[in-house]
Amino acid sequence: MKRITVLTISIIFIVIGVPAFAEKVKDVIVVNDPVNPVPIVGETTVTNTVDIEVVNADPLPVIIEGGFQRIPFQRQQQSSQVPDTISVTHHYPVPDGYTLVIESFSVLTTVPSSQVLFRSSVTTTASANSAEHHFDLPELAVIGTSRYYRGLHSVRLYADSGTNVSITIAKQDVFTGTLTVFSSISGYLIPEGATRLGP
């Protein structure tokens, strides 16, 4: 009698799950059409890495607080009184087509130690109305034969297109010594008649 040996081989298949689809990273192109501009308002959160390309038909305008396009403006002058006068006036012209908003101005002046100042003012024209604004100019020191005055003022003054902003300093009398004035103004320009460009 013959013995028959039966060898049983078990094969175990391990099936590993595969996602039904693989996520892909795609480029997103945003076209800023000047007729229908893309609003840039608020904030959003992107959970995945996304490449974004912004294509502008025209450059986007730079708009800052207040909704106006602002151009920084600052100027300075230094001069001394001419003979037979008691004052020095510095004129700062406002460029045509713009309104000037003055945020600060400063003055440093010297007179003979035997003299004092009696006038310090800045004159502006806004909406075709002129106004003279008087300001304090404290005495700084007496050094040798000169008396020094200095002041820096934060303000909100306006000046129309094509007008002058004028800073005037006057001393005690016309005959004694020389008055020397250094002045500066700082602010920004906005287009004349500008309307709000943003919220």
Side-chain angles (χ1 to χ4, degrees), residues 91 119 121-133 157-160 163-166:
H91 298 293
R119 179 187 175 192
S121 65
V122 56
T123 302
T124 60
T125 301
S127 299
N129 292 301
S130 180
E132 183 176 14
H133 315 275
L157 301 174
Y158 303 91
D160 291 344
T163 64
N164 282 316
V165 176
S166 301

Side-chain angles (χ1 to χ4, degrees), residues 107-174:
V107 175
L108 172 65
T109 184
T110 63
V111 296
S113 57
S114 61
Q115 300 236 345
V116 295
L117 296 182
F118 78 91
R119 179 187 175 192
S120 51
S121 65
V122 56
T123 302
T124 60
T125 301
S127 299
N129 292 301
S130 180
E132 183 176 14
H133 315 275
H134 297 272
F135 59 90
D136 293 332
L137 201 56
E139 181 178 317
L140 177 63
V142 176
I143 303 175
T145 59
S146 297
R147 188 183 304 274
Y148 290 81
Y149 294 84
R150 182 180 65 184
L152 171 64
H153 297 272
S154 297
V155 296
R156 179 59 61 89
L157 301 174
Y158 303 91
D160 291 344
S161 166
T163 64
N164 282 316
V165 176
S166 301
I167 295 177
T168 299
I169 306 297
K171 67 181 180 65
Q172 187 174 350
D173 70 58
V174 67

Side-chain angles (χ1 to χ4, degrees), residues 35-65:
V35 178
N36 297 298
V38 177
I40 305 176
V41 179
E43 298 179 355
T44 186
T45 301
V46 179
T47 56
N48 295 312
T49 301
V50 179
D51 294 332
I52 297 178
E53 178 183 359
V54 178
V55 179
N56 294 318
D58 293 301
L60 292 171
V62 177
I63 302 173
I64 59 177
E65 181 184 357

